Amino acid sequence: MAAFTEWLKRALLEIQEYTTLAMATARCAVTRPFYWHDFVEQLDAIGIGSMTVVILTGLFTGAVLALQTGFTLDQFGARPFVGRLVSASMIKELGPVLTALMLAGRVSSGIAAELGSMVVTEQVSALRALGTDPVRKLVVPRVLAGILMTPILTVVANTVGLLGGWVVSVQNLNVASGLYWSSVVDGLFLEDVWMGLLKPFFLGFIIVTVGCHVGLRTRGGTQGVGRATTNAVVAASVGVIAMDFFSTQLLLELLF
Amino acid sequence: MAPFPEALRGPARGRPGDEPVVVFEGVRLAFDDNVVLDEISFKLYPGYTKIFIGASGSGKSTVLKLILGLLAPDAGKIWVHGRQIDRMTENELFAVRDHTGMVFQEGALFDSLTVGENVGFKLYEETDMPLADVRTRVEEVLGFVELGPYIDRRPSELSGGQRRRVAIARAMAFKPKLLLYDEPTTGLDPITALTVDAEIIKLRDIEGVTSIIVTHQLRDAFYIATHGAGRAPEGHAIVSATPEKVEEADFVMLRDGKIVFEGSADELRASTDPYIRAFLS
Ligand SMILES: Nc1ncnc2c1ncn2[C@@H]1O[C@H](COP(=O)(O)OP(=O)(O)OP(=O)(O)O)[C@@H](O)[C@H]1O
Ligand SMILES: [Mg+2]
């Protein structure tokens, strides 16, 4: 029981610190100074750096969706509708979530490791000593870059996912190319497209803020950095799934 | 901001009319149950030097972090540059830190930046100084620590002693009035340590910087306390300090969170306290 209260206290403290950081980030993002150079650097590190991973994930996800649904649809003699299922699942749900999970693995861990080693080698203290706010210099550029790049990467994943589905539909399922694409378009409703485009903003926010939070509260030398990296991936992945649920709920209410 | 109380304008040391640069009054700090500093009080006057000695873990680095406002005390008051900082918010603290430079124990250089970007960091990021002027100043201070040719290297490509000197260059680049050195010579060979000591003396005596030095290396501590720098025809020369000058350097010994000794180099040498004797031998 005592252990449970202790755990609960630590969890609440963690959430409180996370909220404080998120609010400080929001405040710093809208006031000067803004470190443009770091922002551009992060756009490159988060956006371009994650491109390969996201393309591969999207491609294979679209392909496997086509394979699986093609097989199921056959039982109803509805194979030509495969494009519809690929686009609906990819754009509404799988594209955003899988992209975000890949980014949780790549970006959250990278940020936690980088900021964590800066904390344990006192570089963060040195920043403060030199008159630079670590939230402005380190957190804001990363968060803004993450919020901006996650939707873009999601669109990339969706696009190659549809291509992957197309390759499988044409090659393995013998669906005509034109039929596949018209079915893809049929499967898309405007609300779904909005949903698929808006969700990644929330997910990107979670991915980066969790990485920053875990990194900045690293304690205990290089060992602590290792721990922080692992924790960041786990927390960001869970955060992505949870945020996916809540943002879907919110967007369903707003859009439909 | 609370002005500096008249009562604390102690006459004891310092030149007449000078206001202390740093004042600690009954400062207390604990990490959970571990009381690191207990009722610490001292004053430091412009151009003077305080040398903190004491066993590992006695709270020396913590004193420096309190002066910068990187940590806040649990009780007591701290004035830096005439402003009370112990209750300041981080934003207010930035203004006070503008006049204070710190050399961190492990250097704390930004390893994603070059030596030149490290040294010019504050000038590049936090001032409107034109880039060409920053570059000139960076070259100037790197010349001061004799690392001019290393300006485009990364910190990871430097030796420990070179990193320490880059850290000194970074701390002095924006011409602070107060410099805090955390173990500036620990882990250096005796010859390199002497060059670092010489930089500290030169900054103090030629640029008039007030200094606080934390160290285990008593040899370096005594060297800094008993030497001075003067302008000589061929650059700057390090000479033995006059007796008055020696009096301007104070040794402070910390033990179990308390100050157990405060006085000049001669007084420290003459101390009969068994703990201090053991420490000196
Ligand atoms: N962030 C922290 N959290 C908890 N305890 C700390 C923290 N920083 C320092 N301490 C504790 O405070 C005490 C003083 O630390 P400090 O770094 O000031 O020692 P020091 O005198 O500089 O030692 P050294 O000569 O080894 O550098 C130590 O017992 C240390 O364990
Ligand atoms: Mg220390």
Side-chain angles (χ1 to χ4, degrees):
Chain A
M1 189 62 211
F4 176 73
T5 2
E6 189 55 31
W7 177 86
L8 194 70
K9 226 160 66 187
R10 278 226 308 278
L12 285 177
L13 193 71
E14 188 88 30
I15 291 173
Q16 188 196 0
E17 279 180 16
Y18 174 76
T19 319
T20 314
L21 177 70
M23 280 177 352
T25 307
R27 205 166 42 241
C28 291
V30 294
T31 51
R32 282 169 42 85
F34 182 74
Y35 298 96
W36 277 101
H37 179 79
D38 296 84
F39 175 60
V40 174
E41 214 167 65
Q42 289 307 319
L43 282 180
D44 183 58
I46 296 177
I48 312 300
S50 309
M51 207 53 97
T52 320
V53 177
V54 165
I55 287 178
L56 289 174
T57 312
L59 190 69
F60 285 111
T61 309
V64 79
L65 268 177
L67 267 186
Q68 291 280 22
T69 51
F71 183 77
T72 314
L73 289 172
D74 261 357
Q75 297 174 334
F76 308 99
R79 191 186 273 195
F81 291 114
V82 64
R84 202 181 257 238
L85 280 179
V86 171
S87 71
S89 6
M90 196 72 204
I91 287 174
K92 256 200 297 195
E93 198 55 47
L94 286 177
V97 171
L98 287 181
T99 305
L101 284 177
M102 296 317 282
L103 291 182
R106 199 186 159 273
V107 174
S108 302
S109 62
I111 291 176
E114 190 182 2
L115 300 196
S117 32
M118 288 187 74
V119 169
V120 300
T121 57
E122 300 207 292
Q123 290 177 55
V124 172
S125 295
L127 269 185
R128 292 169 63 201
L130 289 165
T132 300
D133 184 344
V135 173
R136 279 182 200 284
K137 174 82 179 166
L138 302 174
V139 180
V140 169
R142 283 173 175 75
V143 171
L144 290 183
I147 292 183
L148 206 71
M149 290 318 290
T150 310
I152 294 177
L153 290 168
T154 303
V155 171
V156 172
N158 290 342
T159 314
V160 291
L162 295 180
L163 282 175
W166 170 73
V167 171
V168 168
S169 300
V170 173
Q171 294 293 320
N172 301 32
L173 306 176
N174 295 318
V175 175
S177 196
L179 197 58
Y180 173 81
W181 288 117
S182 65
S183 166
V184 159
V185 176
D186 285 344
L188 287 182
F189 295 94
L190 195 59
E191 289 85 355
D192 295 341
V193 176
W194 274 117
M195 169 88 81
L197 282 180
L198 290 176
K199 243 180 352 191
F201 285 95
F202 296 95
L203 301 181
F205 176 81
I206 288 288
I207 292 164
V208 182
T209 46
V210 166
C212 290
H213 165 74
V214 175
L216 284 180
R217 59 183 301 287
T218 303
R219 300 284 174 275
T222 37
Q223 223 182 7
V225 177
R227 239 181 351 251
T229 314
T230 318
N231 287 347
V233 178
V234 175
S237 305
V238 175
V240 161
I241 308 276
M243 187 49 133
D244 179 49
F245 171 73
F246 290 116
S247 57
T248 304
Q249 215 173 26
L250 176 78
L251 290 171
L252 279 177
E253 267 179 36
L254 292 179
L255 292 171
F256 292 87
Chain B
M1 212 46 47
F4 196 73
E6 202 56 36
L8 282 177
R9 208 183 297 268
R13 300 170 87 92
R15 299 176 192 85
D18 273 357
E19 222 177 54
V21 180
V22 179
V23 179
F24 270 49
E25 197 193 46
V27 169
R28 190 190 139 85
L29 179 70
F31 292 109
D32 299 323
D33 298 333
N34 176 13
V35 178
V36 178
L37 297 176
D38 195 10
E39 287 292 314
I40 297 291
S41 302
F42 67 87
K43 275 182 232 169
L44 174 63
Y45 285 91
Y48 280 48
T49 306
K50 279 255 188 262
I51 300 171
F52 280 86
I53 55 177
S56 189
S58 57
K60 306 181 299 296
S61 299
T62 306
V63 169
L64 300 188
K65 285 177 189 160
L66 283 169
I67 295 173
L68 273 172
L70 299 177
L71 294 172
D74 296 331
K77 294 176 179 152
I78 301 174
W79 283 266
V80 178
H81 305 302
R83 314 224 297 158
Q84 189 178 349
I85 64 158
D86 46 88
R87 294 281 168 267
M88 275 189 182
T89 65
E90 182 83 2
N91 270 329
E92 296 170 315
L93 280 165
F94 282 134
V96 182
R97 290 180 190 147
D98 277 349
H99 306 289
T100 310
M102 166 118 172
V103 179
F104 283 85
Q105 193 158 356
E106 308 290 342
L109 297 177
F110 304 126
D111 39 34
S112 59
L113 305 179
T114 65
V115 166
E117 287 164 344
N118 263 284
V119 172
F121 186 86
K122 189 182 176 87
L123 299 174
Y124 283 122
E125 298 284 10
E126 307 300 333
T127 66
D128 299 327
M129 195 189 243
L131 291 188
D133 296 2
V134 174
R135 180 82 187 184
T136 313
R137 176 69 185 154
V138 167
E139 283 166 359
E140 186 187 355
V141 290
L142 276 178
F144 191 86
V145 297
E146 286 155 25
L147 286 177
Y150 293 81
I151 188 162
D152 289 322
R153 291 235 201 152
R154 300 260 160 191
S156 56
E157 299 164 337
L158 301 181
S159 75
Q162 290 167 335
R163 272 202 289 268
R164 211 66 67 83
R165 274 141 70 200
V166 173
I168 294 179
R170 181 175 71 182
M172 64 178 275
F174 54 97
K175 300 192 176 167
K177 291 183 271 185
L178 170 66
L179 265 171
L180 315 174
Y181 304 91
D182 198 351
E183 316 248 5
T185 57
T186 306
L188 303 184
D189 67 89
I191 308 292
T192 314
L194 275 188
T195 63
V196 170
D197 295 339
E199 310 305 344
I200 296 173
I201 295 171
K202 280 195 279 179
L203 277 171
R204 180 188 63 196
D205 295 347
I206 295 166
E207 315 269 335
V209 175
T210 313
S211 324
I212 298 188
I213 297 144
V214 161
T215 187
H216 288 301
Q217 312 291 106
L218 289 165
R219 196 186 74 119
D220 296 306
F222 281 115
Y223 185 83
I224 292 167
T226 57
H227 287 73
R231 293 188 193 280
E234 68 292 356
H236 306 303
I238 302 292
V239 293
S240 286
T242 58
E244 300 83 66
K245 184 76 198 163
V246 174
E247 284 293 310
E248 293 183 6
D250 253 346
F251 282 79
V252 177
M253 183 163 210
L254 292 178
R255 184 186 183 190
D256 297 334
K258 294 207 167 23
I259 294 180
V260 292
F261 173 88
E262 184 169 16
S264 70
D266 294 335
E267 285 163 354
L268 183 65
R269 282 207 195 88
S271 169
T272 53
D273 182 281
Y275 183 77
I276 294 176
R277 292 251 52 95
F279 206 86
L280 293 187
S281 58

